[in-house]
Amino acid sequence: MGNFVFLFLACILAGFALINLPLAGSALAAIQPITSLIGILAILVFSLVLIFKGIIALVDK
């Protein structure tokens, strides 16, 4: 599972990208709240997974 750490970090960065996605003035402006919500959830979930993996790594040693 250690190989997935970079994937989790990439998912966190993708969450930040979704939050900062400029949709104002386009046809997709109506889904701005949805993209922000998905971005926030992605950041929270994958950050918690990384914290959990770090705690497990510390306890195992």
Side-chain angles (χ1 to χ4, degrees):
M1 198 66 159
N3 297 335
F4 292 115
V5 171
F6 292 117
L7 178 64
F8 295 152
L9 289 174
C11 290
I12 292 171
L13 288 176
F16 279 113
L18 278 175
I19 290 174
N20 294 325
L21 189 64
L23 294 176
S26 70
L28 300 174
I31 64 168
Q32 176 72 35
I34 297 170
T35 59
S36 295
L37 179 66
I38 292 171
I40 290 169
L41 288 176
I43 293 168
L44 287 175
V45 168
F46 289 108
S47 295
L48 289 174
V49 168
L50 282 177
I51 291 170
F52 179 73
K53 291 287 183 188
I55 291 171
I56 294 299
L58 287 174
V59 171
D60 284 343
K61 288 187 176 187

